[in-house]
Amino acid sequence: MQTLKDGVLTLSGSVIAIGAFDGVHKGHQAVIKQAVEKSRVDQVPSVVYTFDPPPRNFFKGVQVLTPIQEKVSRIAKLGVDYVIVASFDEWYATRPPEDFICELSKLNPVEISVGSDFHFGKNRAGDVNLLEKYFHINITPPVYCNGGKLISSTRIRQLISEGDFQQSYSLLGL
Ligand SMILES: Cc1cc2nc3c(=O)[nH]c(=O)nc-3n(C[C@H](O)[C@H](O)[C@H](O)COP(=O)(O)O)c2cc1C
Ligand SMILES: Nc1ncnc2c1ncn2[C@@H]1O[C@H](COP(=O)(O)OP(=O)(O)OP(=O)(O)O)[C@@H](O)[C@H]1O
């Protein structure tokens, strides 16, 4: 797997999964696996586009579950061809949604995998409806834990703060 830090990657075809993916938990794994499977069917490279630090850490200072090296190595295990790590800073956060769409266009995606609540661009102004105007989007169905709650990085942080390591490890798929 090739990792590109803020690199400008140009591809003639790809399938992309986008997200902060902090923890690379079972929900994230479903999003990424969906992209990898589609990329194999279409015989194009799979790309994960992620951020360092996770935007929620940048804006709210929440605990980071997987430092960037660990996140990249967990993503590699899912069979991804390229990881783009965008440095999430003050400048990056002000980029309008159209700017991000323009960057994604350089990867010529045949499909993009995201969850239904995916947002992007300054003030989270871009959503799945906007992305769908430019690309073919495949929304990953929500992944729930055994208790019926949606798996999320926020929930895992909460479980860790409560000392419930067994459940947090389970949701992380460890
Ligand atoms: C170009 C760009 C600008 C962003 N600017 C903001 C922002 O101003 N405020 C914010 O809360 N999140 C911002 N984000 C982060 C997104 O809200 C979101 O966290 C990110 O796209 C990852 O999606 P996910 O949280 O579903 O994993 C930005 C994302 C991108 C790609
Ligand atoms: N349980 C889940 N099932 C399916 N998709 C998910 C799940 N959790 C996150 N996703 C999707 O994975 C991508 C990355 O999500 P993100 O990194 O924001 O995770 P999160 O767990 O929701 O994080 P946080 O709790 O910090 O908001 C997004 O497209 C999101 O919709």
PDB file of all heavy atoms in Angstrom, residues 5-6 19-20 49-55 57-58 64 66-69 71-72 84-89 92:
ATOM      1  N   LYS A   5       1.099  11.755   1.759  1.00  0.00           N
ATOM      2  CA  LYS A   5       0.753  12.816   2.706  1.00  0.00           C
ATOM      3  C   LYS A   5       0.567  14.103   1.921  1.00  0.00           C
ATOM      4  O   LYS A   5       1.538  14.619   1.351  1.00  0.00           O
ATOM      5  CB  LYS A   5       1.857  12.961   3.748  1.00  0.00           C
ATOM      6  CG  LYS A   5       1.354  13.621   5.000  1.00  0.00           C
ATOM      7  CD  LYS A   5       2.320  13.463   6.150  1.00  0.00           C
ATOM      8  CE  LYS A   5       1.754  14.067   7.406  1.00  0.00           C
ATOM      9  NZ  LYS A   5       1.394  15.471   7.300  1.00  0.00           N
ATOM     10  N   ASP A   6      -0.647  14.570   1.849  1.00  0.00           N
ATOM     11  CA  ASP A   6      -0.980  15.795   1.122  1.00  0.00           C
ATOM     12  C   ASP A   6      -0.536  15.728  -0.349  1.00  0.00           C
ATOM     13  O   ASP A   6      -0.440  16.745  -1.011  1.00  0.00           O
ATOM     14  CB  ASP A   6      -0.325  17.042   1.750  1.00  0.00           C
ATOM     15  CG  ASP A   6      -0.740  17.235   3.195  1.00  0.00           C
ATOM     16  OD1 ASP A   6      -1.941  17.088   3.463  1.00  0.00           O
ATOM     17  OD2 ASP A   6       0.125  17.517   4.035  1.00  0.00           O
ATOM     18  N   GLY A  19     -13.142   9.410   5.017  1.00  0.00           N
ATOM     19  CA  GLY A  19     -13.589   9.600   6.397  1.00  0.00           C
ATOM     20  C   GLY A  19     -12.427   9.877   7.336  1.00  0.00           C
ATOM     21  O   GLY A  19     -11.269   9.655   6.988  1.00  0.00           O
ATOM     22  N   ALA A  20     -12.760  10.342   8.532  1.00  0.00           N
ATOM     23  CA  ALA A  20     -11.750  10.548   9.568  1.00  0.00           C
ATOM     24  C   ALA A  20     -11.220   9.185  10.025  1.00  0.00           C
ATOM     25  O   ALA A  20     -10.041   9.024  10.312  1.00  0.00           O
ATOM     26  CB  ALA A  20     -12.362  11.307  10.743  1.00  0.00           C
ATOM     27  N   TYR A  49      -9.220   8.097   1.613  1.00  0.00           N
ATOM     28  CA  TYR A  49      -8.867   9.508   1.838  1.00  0.00           C
ATOM     29  C   TYR A  49      -9.214   9.822   3.289  1.00  0.00           C
ATOM     30  O   TYR A  49     -10.377   9.756   3.691  1.00  0.00           O
ATOM     31  CB  TYR A  49      -9.671  10.400   0.883  1.00  0.00           C
ATOM     32  CG  TYR A  49      -9.196  11.850   0.848  1.00  0.00           C
ATOM     33  CD1 TYR A  49      -8.607  12.384  -0.289  1.00  0.00           C
ATOM     34  CD2 TYR A  49      -9.326  12.680   1.958  1.00  0.00           C
ATOM     35  CE1 TYR A  49      -8.169  13.714  -0.323  1.00  0.00           C
ATOM     36  CE2 TYR A  49      -8.884  13.990   1.933  1.00  0.00           C
ATOM     37  CZ  TYR A  49      -8.311  14.499   0.788  1.00  0.00           C
ATOM     38  OH  TYR A  49      -7.877  15.814   0.746  1.00  0.00           O
ATOM     39  N   THR A  50      -8.158  10.137   4.072  1.00  0.00           N
ATOM     40  CA  THR A  50      -8.407  10.412   5.488  1.00  0.00           C
ATOM     41  C   THR A  50      -7.663  11.671   5.944  1.00  0.00           C
ATOM     42  O   THR A  50      -7.016  12.334   5.126  1.00  0.00           O
ATOM     43  CB  THR A  50      -8.060   9.177   6.354  1.00  0.00           C
ATOM     44  OG1 THR A  50      -8.549   9.375   7.673  1.00  0.00           O
ATOM     45  CG2 THR A  50      -6.555   8.897   6.386  1.00  0.00           C
ATOM     46  N   PHE A  51      -7.807  11.995   7.212  1.00  0.00           N
ATOM     47  CA  PHE A  51      -7.341  13.288   7.733  1.00  0.00           C
ATOM     48  C   PHE A  51      -6.484  13.083   8.979  1.00  0.00           C
ATOM     49  O   PHE A  51      -6.755  12.198   9.795  1.00  0.00           O
ATOM     50  CB  PHE A  51      -8.553  14.164   8.093  1.00  0.00           C
ATOM     51  CG  PHE A  51      -9.562  14.254   6.985  1.00  0.00           C
ATOM     52  CD1 PHE A  51     -10.610  13.340   6.903  1.00  0.00           C
ATOM     53  CD2 PHE A  51      -9.436  15.211   5.990  1.00  0.00           C
ATOM     54  CE1 PHE A  51     -11.522  13.391   5.860  1.00  0.00           C
ATOM     55  CE2 PHE A  51     -10.348  15.275   4.944  1.00  0.00           C
ATOM     56  CZ  PHE A  51     -11.397  14.372   4.884  1.00  0.00           C
ATOM     57  N   ASP A  52      -5.480  13.930   9.133  1.00  0.00           N
ATOM     58  CA  ASP A  52      -4.651  13.888  10.340  1.00  0.00           C
ATOM     59  C   ASP A  52      -4.400  15.311  10.819  1.00  0.00           C
ATOM     60  O   ASP A  52      -3.818  16.104  10.083  1.00  0.00           O
ATOM     61  CB  ASP A  52      -3.327  13.188  10.045  1.00  0.00           C
ATOM     62  CG  ASP A  52      -2.451  13.132  11.281  1.00  0.00           C
ATOM     63  OD1 ASP A  52      -2.976  12.814  12.358  1.00  0.00           O
ATOM     64  OD2 ASP A  52      -1.243  13.415  11.166  1.00  0.00           O
ATOM     65  N   PRO A  53      -4.806  15.672  12.025  1.00  0.00           N
ATOM     66  CA  PRO A  53      -5.564  14.844  12.963  1.00  0.00           C
ATOM     67  C   PRO A  53      -7.021  14.691  12.508  1.00  0.00           C
ATOM     68  O   PRO A  53      -7.449  15.396  11.596  1.00  0.00           O
ATOM     69  CB  PRO A  53      -5.496  15.664  14.263  1.00  0.00           C
ATOM     70  CG  PRO A  53      -5.443  17.080  13.797  1.00  0.00           C
ATOM     71  CD  PRO A  53      -4.618  17.058  12.544  1.00  0.00           C
ATOM     72  N   PRO A  54      -7.790  13.807  13.155  1.00  0.00           N
ATOM     73  CA  PRO A  54      -9.218  13.735  12.839  1.00  0.00           C
ATOM     74  C   PRO A  54      -9.866  15.103  13.101  1.00  0.00           C
ATOM     75  O   PRO A  54      -9.545  15.745  14.107  1.00  0.00           O
ATOM     76  CB  PRO A  54      -9.757  12.694  13.833  1.00  0.00           C
ATOM     77  CG  PRO A  54      -8.555  11.934  14.307  1.00  0.00           C
ATOM     78  CD  PRO A  54      -7.401  12.891  14.240  1.00  0.00           C
ATOM     79  N   PRO A  55     -10.732  15.576  12.191  1.00  0.00           N
ATOM     80  CA  PRO A  55     -11.344  16.902  12.376  1.00  0.00           C
ATOM     81  C   PRO A  55     -11.956  17.107  13.768  1.00  0.00           C
ATOM     82  O   PRO A  55     -11.854  18.195  14.343  1.00  0.00           O
ATOM     83  CB  PRO A  55     -12.415  16.943  11.285  1.00  0.00           C
ATOM     84  CG  PRO A  55     -11.856  16.057  10.208  1.00  0.00           C
ATOM     85  CD  PRO A  55     -11.124  14.961  10.917  1.00  0.00           C
ATOM     86  N   ASN A  57     -10.900  15.987  16.537  1.00  0.00           N
ATOM     87  CA  ASN A  57      -9.808  16.296  17.462  1.00  0.00           C
ATOM     88  C   ASN A  57      -9.346  17.735  17.235  1.00  0.00           C
ATOM     89  O   ASN A  57      -9.116  18.489  18.185  1.00  0.00           O
ATOM     90  CB  ASN A  57      -8.646  15.315  17.242  1.00  0.00           C
ATOM     91  CG  ASN A  57      -7.393  15.767  17.976  1.00  0.00           C
ATOM     92  OD1 ASN A  57      -6.555  16.456  17.402  1.00  0.00           O
ATOM     93  ND2 ASN A  57      -7.276  15.424  19.245  1.00  0.00           N
ATOM     94  N   PHE A  58      -9.246  18.143  15.961  1.00  0.00           N
ATOM     95  CA  PHE A  58      -8.798  19.501  15.637  1.00  0.00           C
ATOM     96  C   PHE A  58      -9.744  20.551  16.221  1.00  0.00           C
ATOM     97  O   PHE A  58      -9.315  21.520  16.831  1.00  0.00           O
ATOM     98  CB  PHE A  58      -8.701  19.662  14.113  1.00  0.00           C
ATOM     99  CG  PHE A  58      -8.301  21.035  13.675  1.00  0.00           C
ATOM    100  CD1 PHE A  58      -6.960  21.427  13.694  1.00  0.00           C
ATOM    101  CD2 PHE A  58      -9.254  21.959  13.269  1.00  0.00           C
ATOM    102  CE1 PHE A  58      -6.594  22.704  13.303  1.00  0.00           C
ATOM    103  CE2 PHE A  58      -8.896  23.237  12.879  1.00  0.00           C
ATOM    104  CZ  PHE A  58      -7.559  23.612  12.890  1.00  0.00           C
ATOM    105  N   VAL A  64      -7.695  11.055  20.529  1.00  0.00           N
ATOM    106  CA  VAL A  64      -7.458  10.342  19.268  1.00  0.00           C
ATOM    107  C   VAL A  64      -7.321   8.853  19.584  1.00  0.00           C
ATOM    108  O   VAL A  64      -6.509   8.471  20.420  1.00  0.00           O
ATOM    109  CB  VAL A  64      -6.183  10.868  18.568  1.00  0.00           C
ATOM    110  CG1 VAL A  64      -5.849  10.039  17.341  1.00  0.00           C
ATOM    111  CG2 VAL A  64      -6.347  12.343  18.191  1.00  0.00           C
ATOM    112  N   THR A  66      -6.648   6.284  17.283  1.00  0.00           N
ATOM    113  CA  THR A  66      -5.520   5.684  16.554  1.00  0.00           C
ATOM    114  C   THR A  66      -4.630   6.796  16.002  1.00  0.00           C
ATOM    115  O   THR A  66      -5.031   7.504  15.071  1.00  0.00           O
ATOM    116  CB  THR A  66      -6.013   4.809  15.375  1.00  0.00           C
ATOM    117  OG1 THR A  66      -7.098   5.458  14.722  1.00  0.00           O
ATOM    118  CG2 THR A  66      -6.416   3.432  15.812  1.00  0.00           C
ATOM    119  N   PRO A  67      -3.420   6.949  16.568  1.00  0.00           N
ATOM    120  CA  PRO A  67      -2.456   7.879  15.975  1.00  0.00           C
ATOM    121  C   PRO A  67      -2.249   7.488  14.508  1.00  0.00           C
ATOM    122  O   PRO A  67      -2.455   6.317  14.144  1.00  0.00           O
ATOM    123  CB  PRO A  67      -1.191   7.655  16.799  1.00  0.00           C
ATOM    124  CG  PRO A  67      -1.645   7.003  18.061  1.00  0.00           C
ATOM    125  CD  PRO A  67      -2.882   6.237  17.729  1.00  0.00           C
ATOM    126  N   ILE A  68      -1.807   8.442  13.685  1.00  0.00           N
ATOM    127  CA  ILE A  68      -1.842   8.255  12.237  1.00  0.00           C
ATOM    128  C   ILE A  68      -1.151   6.970  11.762  1.00  0.00           C
ATOM    129  O   ILE A  68      -1.681   6.264  10.894  1.00  0.00           O
ATOM    130  CB  ILE A  68      -1.324   9.514  11.486  1.00  0.00           C
ATOM    131  CG1 ILE A  68      -1.568   9.382   9.985  1.00  0.00           C
ATOM    132  CG2 ILE A  68       0.112   9.829  11.817  1.00  0.00           C
ATOM    133  CD1 ILE A  68      -3.006   9.281   9.570  1.00  0.00           C
ATOM    134  N   GLN A  69       0.016   6.631  12.361  1.00  0.00           N
ATOM    135  CA  GLN A  69       0.725   5.415  11.897  1.00  0.00           C
ATOM    136  C   GLN A  69      -0.128   4.182  12.097  1.00  0.00           C
ATOM    137  O   GLN A  69      -0.206   3.301  11.238  1.00  0.00           O
ATOM    138  CB  GLN A  69       2.044   5.222  12.686  1.00  0.00           C
ATOM    139  CG  GLN A  69       3.014   6.354  12.564  1.00  0.00           C
ATOM    140  CD  GLN A  69       3.717   6.346  11.213  1.00  0.00           C
ATOM    141  OE1 GLN A  69       3.091   6.049  10.190  1.00  0.00           O
ATOM    142  NE2 GLN A  69       4.980   6.686  11.191  1.00  0.00           N
ATOM    143  N   LYS A  71      -3.415   4.101  12.413  1.00  0.00           N
ATOM    144  CA  LYS A  71      -4.581   4.155  11.526  1.00  0.00           C
ATOM    145  C   LYS A  71      -4.200   3.638  10.135  1.00  0.00           C
ATOM    146  O   LYS A  71      -4.903   2.797   9.562  1.00  0.00           O
ATOM    147  CB  LYS A  71      -5.121   5.592  11.461  1.00  0.00           C
ATOM    148  CG  LYS A  71      -6.280   5.748  10.507  1.00  0.00           C
ATOM    149  CD  LYS A  71      -7.122   6.968  10.783  1.00  0.00           C
ATOM    150  CE  LYS A  71      -6.532   8.264  10.378  1.00  0.00           C
ATOM    151  NZ  LYS A  71      -7.512   9.377  10.450  1.00  0.00           N
ATOM    152  N   VAL A  72      -3.064   4.118   9.620  1.00  0.00           N
ATOM    153  CA  VAL A  72      -2.629   3.706   8.276  1.00  0.00           C
ATOM    154  C   VAL A  72      -2.367   2.197   8.249  1.00  0.00           C
ATOM    155  O   VAL A  72      -2.758   1.514   7.297  1.00  0.00           O
ATOM    156  CB  VAL A  72      -1.374   4.515   7.840  1.00  0.00           C
ATOM    157  CG1 VAL A  72      -0.717   3.898   6.627  1.00  0.00           C
ATOM    158  CG2 VAL A  72      -1.760   5.965   7.565  1.00  0.00           C
ATOM    159  N   ILE A  84      -4.490   8.431   1.169  1.00  0.00           N
ATOM    160  CA  ILE A  84      -4.146   9.854   1.126  1.00  0.00           C
ATOM    161  C   ILE A  84      -4.411  10.411   2.521  1.00  0.00           C
ATOM    162  O   ILE A  84      -5.530  10.300   3.037  1.00  0.00           O
ATOM    163  CB  ILE A  84      -4.994  10.603   0.079  1.00  0.00           C
ATOM    164  CG1 ILE A  84      -4.702  10.042  -1.317  1.00  0.00           C
ATOM    165  CG2 ILE A  84      -4.724  12.112   0.141  1.00  0.00           C
ATOM    166  CD1 ILE A  84      -5.603  10.597  -2.402  1.00  0.00           C
ATOM    167  N   VAL A  85      -3.376  10.976   3.138  1.00  0.00           N
ATOM    168  CA  VAL A  85      -3.519  11.573   4.472  1.00  0.00           C
ATOM    169  C   VAL A  85      -3.442  13.083   4.310  1.00  0.00           C
ATOM    170  O   VAL A  85      -2.372  13.634   4.035  1.00  0.00           O
ATOM    171  CB  VAL A  85      -2.415  11.078   5.428  1.00  0.00           C
ATOM    172  CG1 VAL A  85      -2.593  11.711   6.806  1.00  0.00           C
ATOM    173  CG2 VAL A  85      -2.414   9.556   5.538  1.00  0.00           C
ATOM    174  N   ALA A  86      -4.581  13.744   4.460  1.00  0.00           N
ATOM    175  CA  ALA A  86      -4.618  15.209   4.350  1.00  0.00           C
ATOM    176  C   ALA A  86      -4.330  15.811   5.725  1.00  0.00           C
ATOM    177  O   ALA A  86      -4.972  15.426   6.711  1.00  0.00           O
ATOM    178  CB  ALA A  86      -5.987  15.659   3.852  1.00  0.00           C
ATOM    179  N   SER A  87      -3.367  16.717   5.795  1.00  0.00           N
ATOM    180  CA  SER A  87      -3.086  17.417   7.059  1.00  0.00           C
ATOM    181  C   SER A  87      -4.247  18.356   7.342  1.00  0.00           C
ATOM    182  O   SER A  87      -4.475  19.308   6.581  1.00  0.00           O
ATOM    183  CB  SER A  87      -1.803  18.233   6.957  1.00  0.00           C
ATOM    184  OG  SER A  87      -0.739  17.382   6.682  1.00  0.00           O
ATOM    185  N   PHE A  88      -4.990  18.059   8.410  1.00  0.00           N
ATOM    186  CA  PHE A  88      -6.169  18.872   8.717  1.00  0.00           C
ATOM    187  C   PHE A  88      -5.732  20.031   9.612  1.00  0.00           C
ATOM    188  O   PHE A  88      -5.438  19.855  10.795  1.00  0.00           O
ATOM    189  CB  PHE A  88      -7.249  18.018   9.387  1.00  0.00           C
ATOM    190  CG  PHE A  88      -8.599  18.656   9.325  1.00  0.00           C
ATOM    191  CD1 PHE A  88      -9.441  18.428   8.241  1.00  0.00           C
ATOM    192  CD2 PHE A  88      -9.029  19.516  10.321  1.00  0.00           C
ATOM    193  CE1 PHE A  88     -10.682  19.043   8.161  1.00  0.00           C
ATOM    194  CE2 PHE A  88     -10.270  20.127  10.247  1.00  0.00           C
ATOM    195  CZ  PHE A  88     -11.090  19.883   9.160  1.00  0.00           C
ATOM    196  N   ASP A  89      -5.684  21.218   9.031  1.00  0.00           N
ATOM    197  CA  ASP A  89      -5.262  22.405   9.785  1.00  0.00           C
ATOM    198  C   ASP A  89      -6.216  23.570   9.477  1.00  0.00           C
ATOM    199  O   ASP A  89      -7.223  23.379   8.775  1.00  0.00           O
ATOM    200  CB  ASP A  89      -3.803  22.766   9.443  1.00  0.00           C
ATOM    201  CG  ASP A  89      -3.583  22.959   7.947  1.00  0.00           C
ATOM    202  OD1 ASP A  89      -4.572  23.170   7.211  1.00  0.00           O
ATOM    203  OD2 ASP A  89      -2.429  22.888   7.501  1.00  0.00           O
ATOM    204  N   TYR A  92      -6.740  24.086   5.739  1.00  0.00           N
ATOM    205  CA  TYR A  92      -7.498  23.004   5.089  1.00  0.00           C
ATOM    206  C   TYR A  92      -8.988  23.120   5.404  1.00  0.00           C
ATOM    207  O   TYR A  92      -9.848  22.961   4.525  1.00  0.00           O
ATOM    208  CB  TYR A  92      -6.951  21.641   5.545  1.00  0.00           C
ATOM    209  CG  TYR A  92      -7.522  20.492   4.759  1.00  0.00           C
ATOM    210  CD1 TYR A  92      -6.851  19.983   3.645  1.00  0.00           C
ATOM    211  CD2 TYR A  92      -8.765  19.937   5.095  1.00  0.00           C
ATOM    212  CE1 TYR A  92      -7.393  18.958   2.895  1.00  0.00           C
ATOM    213  CE2 TYR A  92      -9.308  18.913   4.351  1.00  0.00           C
ATOM    214  CZ  TYR A  92      -8.617  18.430   3.253  1.00  0.00           C
ATOM    215  OH  TYR A  92      -9.183  17.421   2.504  1.00  0.00           O
TER     216      TYR A  92
END
